[in-house]
Amino acid sequence: MNRDELVAFLDEYLQVSAYPDKSSNGLQVEGKTEVERVAFAVDTTLRTIERAAKGKADMLIVHHGMIWGGLNYITGIHYKRLKALIENGLNLYVAHLPLDAHPEVGNNVGLLKLLGLEPIGPFGEYRGLSIGFYGEFEEPQPIEKVAQVIAEKLDTTVKTYEFGKREVKTVGAISGAGAFALEEAYRKRIDLLITGEFGHADYLTALDLPQSVLVAGHYKTETLGVKALMELIRERFGLSVFFIDEPTGL
């Protein structure tokens, strides 16, 4: 299909213009005008670009793009990545916060669905907009059981910090670096915050609130959105698609 038609669909479906984001969302790098095969990945790296090109993709759709608020100099790694994209005629499309927050294919609704939960409300206010969701079990669940389900379904290592409740009913989900919502989770009586990464200061904040947290890896928690979007593109447009898995272990 025509690249611009696909980009227009993605822009509207993901509402890329609605989110104040450090990422330059949308079509970051222009390539071939006709798209038959689309690669999906979490990150824009030389390796994902090269694997997309080797797989004969015409477009690479990612969660983490190459441009975060603009480029001052096209040197070093920026030059290498841009050169690889241009030489292969590869379109680069980026959806950062829009893909976290999407109510159908987003990372955060995806985390809840792993637990069999449907979102019942927005959660995780960032720059005036909520990018996460929360759901609720019918009966309280031990954190250990929740952690086991997430670990198995995401194929990831999970850490839990049981500073608040140890049996949880209400669960909030923010993929990647979601610890900014610790105090909001506590205020809204969300028993468990599921996120991707957790730093030293985050630990101390959770301890003092107190707030229970489940940490499942920045990379792994952000594979859900690109995979869900990949299936949507396959079904809606009949394009050939494939996922490039480049886990960081973080």
Side-chain angles (χ1 to χ4, degrees):
M1 67 180 299
N2 179 268
R3 175 201 60 220
D4 294 340
E5 291 178 5
L6 179 56
V7 168
F9 167 79
L10 290 167
D11 286 349
E12 181 178 358
Y13 179 73
L14 297 171
Q15 296 185 315
V16 295
S17 63
Y19 292 88
D21 199 345
K22 292 179 181 178
S23 171
S24 298
N25 295 311
L27 185 65
Q28 278 196 359
V29 179
E30 190 175 286
K32 299 172 185 175
T33 57
E34 291 298 316
V35 176
E36 296 182 4
R37 187 160 164 80
V38 184
F40 291 77
V42 174
D43 302 296
T44 305
T45 67
L46 274 177
R47 186 165 171 83
T48 54
I49 294 168
E50 289 167 353
R51 288 184 62 182
K54 187 176 181 179
K56 301 188 183 305
D58 305 303
M59 176 178 283
L60 173 60
I61 297 178
V62 299
H63 183 51
H64 297 140
M66 191 176 73
I67 302 171
W68 298 84
L71 287 172
N72 292 324
Y73 301 96
I74 304 175
T75 60
I77 193 60
H78 295 305
Y79 169 76
K80 291 179 181 178
R81 290 171 179 167
L82 186 59
K83 181 172 181 285
L85 287 165
I86 292 173
E87 285 184 343
N88 289 288
L90 195 58
N91 293 283
L92 177 66
Y93 188 93
V94 179
H96 184 233
L97 293 185
L99 194 54
D100 285 320
H102 199 274
E104 296 173 352
V105 298
N107 289 316
N108 298 324
V109 73
L111 285 168
L112 292 181
K113 287 180 178 179
L114 292 180
L115 299 170
L117 300 177
E118 291 296 326
I120 58 175
F123 167 66
E125 185 177 329
Y126 181 80
R127 297 188 176 186
L129 291 175
S130 293
I131 62 170
F133 297 95
Y134 71 92
E136 189 171 275
F137 293 113
E138 290 185 5
E139 299 294 334
Q141 302 291 319
I143 287 180
E144 292 83 358
K145 183 177 179 182
V146 177
Q148 183 179 3
V149 172
I150 294 293
E152 290 177 355
K153 291 191 174 182
L154 274 185
D155 187 25
T156 188
T157 299
V158 168
K159 289 185 178 181
T160 58
Y161 300 89
E162 299 179 14
F163 297 144
K165 293 183 179 180
R166 297 189 174 187
E167 290 201 349
V168 299
K169 190 171 184 180
T170 308
V171 178
I174 303 180
S175 66
F180 68 87
L182 281 167
E183 293 190 60
E184 181 184 349
Y186 180 74
R187 288 196 310 270
K188 291 185 173 178
R189 298 183 180 181
I190 289 173
D191 300 330
L192 180 66
L193 169 63
I194 298 178
T195 190
E197 65 179 59
F198 204 55
H200 177 81
D202 304 324
Y203 177 99
L204 298 176
T205 298
L207 177 66
D208 283 351
L209 282 170
Q211 174 66 47
S212 292
V213 182
L214 185 155
V215 183
H218 195 128
Y219 176 84
K220 286 290 187 174
T221 59
E222 296 191 330
T223 58
L224 296 168
V226 286
K227 286 182 177 179
L229 184 60
M230 178 177 72
E231 292 307 316
L232 175 71
I233 295 301
R234 185 207 308 267
E235 292 172 7
R236 188 177 184 97
F237 298 109
L239 295 173
S240 174
V241 299
F242 63 101
F243 177 68
I244 299 170
D245 193 20
E246 286 287 339
T248 62
L250 301 171

